[in-house]
Amino acid sequence: MRGGVDNVRAGRWIRRPAARSSRRGARYVGVTIVGVLAAAGLAACGTSSAATGPVTLNFYMFNDPSGAIQQAANNCGAQSHGRYTINYNVLPTSADQQRLQMARRLAAGDSSLDILGLDVTWEAEFAQAGWIRPWTGAFKQQAIAGTLKGPLNTAIWHGQLVAVPANSNTQLLWYRSDLVKTPPKTWAQMISDAEQLAKQGKPHLIQIQGAQYEGTVVWFNTLTVSAGGSILNPASTAAQLGPPAVKALSIMKQLATSAGADPSLPVQTEGPNQLAMEAGTSAFELN
């Protein structure tokens, strides 16, 4: 069974600046992803890979073992009736490595990146660097139509729509209903429940992403927002941490020093969290 918590992470389609292309005969091509991706969001636009013939759009996205993204790209190209094809370039599994690979290539002036799948935390960086272009006009209207306000707001930087949400992942609290009859409503309650289970010799660990990567950033941000704070000021020009951030850090320390902490907390990511929960050694998991 599970109870919800208040963090949203999203993937999105990005428009690359056509003006950066250094390829011979490159031109701007507008594309709307259809088929499988239509329900998820709108795709971006970029530069062509040839002066004549069908345009090839290079789409960079995380590795999808299900095959759904590849099929969507195939469907989209087929429905263009020869106007373009989409080349799905698989990025590393690690989110940090995905960002690093794209950022390095874009910083070097690589013009072969047309459609980018970015995590929500990268949009401002890429937009500020001039690596992605805002959505305007008809493309913008198509992009925002039917898109939830919350995820849509995460794609706006300095008043401009710089990305389009493709999916939104809501963090959930998973718990063992055979061990805990009522899911905890606060961190203090969850830690207390874990400590009581530990005293009884029952599975009691709390699984959370504690490694030094985006997972810990999400955890800290969620706690700070839940405490009524924000990492940045409204203008995104400076940090405004204050008491909410202190509260967030105190909760993180409280968990790390409690009986509910997994010994591998400092290196844990989503995969090990899931495995630990499935192994029956844990009572709670946030993922």
Side-chain angles (χ1 to χ4, degrees), residues 195-277:
E195 290 175 339
Q196 290 301 316
L197 290 170
K199 292 178 181 179
Q200 299 170 23
K202 297 180 179 179
H204 59 278
L205 298 180
I206 300 172
Q207 299 300 323
I208 186 69
Q209 295 79 56
Q212 295 185 30
Y213 78 121
E214 65 166 1
T216 305
V217 176
V218 169
W219 183 19
F220 174 64
N221 182 66
T222 300
L223 291 172
T224 302
V225 173
S226 298
S230 175
I231 305 300
L232 299 176
N233 62 20
S236 299
T237 57
Q240 66 165 30
L241 300 171
V246 175
K247 178 64 173 178
L249 291 172
S250 68
I251 292 174
M252 296 174 79
K253 179 182 178 181
Q254 184 181 0
L255 172 60
T257 56
S258 73
D262 191 296
S264 61
L265 173 62
V267 295
Q268 282 204 304
T269 59
E270 293 89 345
N273 290 154
Q274 178 181 341
L275 293 175
M277 191 70 175

Side-chain angles (χ1 to χ4, degrees), residues 6-215:
D6 55 355
N7 175 60
V8 175
R9 298 162 64 189
R12 45 264 296 108
W13 309 126
I14 308 299
R15 304 183 71 184
R16 281 274 291 110
R20 284 183 171 270
S21 175
S22 60
R23 285 175 290 177
R24 185 176 179 181
R27 59 189 175 86
Y28 177 78
V29 180
V31 184
T32 299
I33 287 290
V34 292
V36 176
L37 291 184
L42 298 177
C45 310
T47 56
S48 67
S49 60
T52 60
V55 173
T56 296
L57 298 174
N58 288 306
F59 173 34
Y60 287 79
M61 191 67 169
F62 64 83
N63 183 16
D64 171 34
S66 73
I69 291 179
Q70 182 64 70
Q71 186 60 54
N74 295 342
N75 292 344
C76 184
Q79 292 178 33
S80 76
H81 303 293
R83 288 176 51 227
Y84 56 82
T85 59
I86 297 179
N87 182 29
Y88 170 32
N89 294 269
V90 178
L91 291 171
T93 301
S94 165
D96 289 346
Q97 290 302 313
Q98 293 168 27
R99 176 202 158 276
L100 184 61
Q101 183 177 125
M102 289 188 288
R104 281 178 171 173
R105 295 181 64 171
L106 292 168
D110 190 338
S111 62
S112 67
L113 287 75
D114 299 317
I115 309 173
L116 310 181
L118 299 187
D119 204 329
V120 63
T121 58
W122 308 338
E123 297 163 5
E125 174 192 5
F126 280 47
Q128 194 72 20
W131 296 336
I132 55 179
R133 62 184 301 175
W135 291 65
T136 59
F139 288 115
K140 178 180 179 180
Q141 295 306 311
Q142 292 177 28
I144 65 178
T147 303
L148 295 175
K149 182 179 179 180
L152 185 63
N153 285 341
T154 69
I156 296 175
W157 176 247
H158 288 327
Q160 294 183 310
L161 183 68
V162 298
V164 180
N167 58 71
S168 182
N169 303 324
T170 300
Q171 191 177 59
L172 298 175
L173 167 63
W174 303 82
Y175 68 99
R176 288 272 301 272
S177 58
D178 61 325
L179 299 173
V180 183
K181 301 305 179 184
T182 303
K185 295 183 179 180
T186 66
W187 279 89
Q189 182 182 347
M190 180 162 57
I191 293 172
S192 176
D193 288 345
E195 290 175 339
Q196 290 301 316
L197 290 170
K199 292 178 181 179
Q200 299 170 23
K202 297 180 179 179
H204 59 278
L205 298 180
I206 300 172
Q207 299 300 323
I208 186 69
Q209 295 79 56
Q212 295 185 30
Y213 78 121
E214 65 166 1

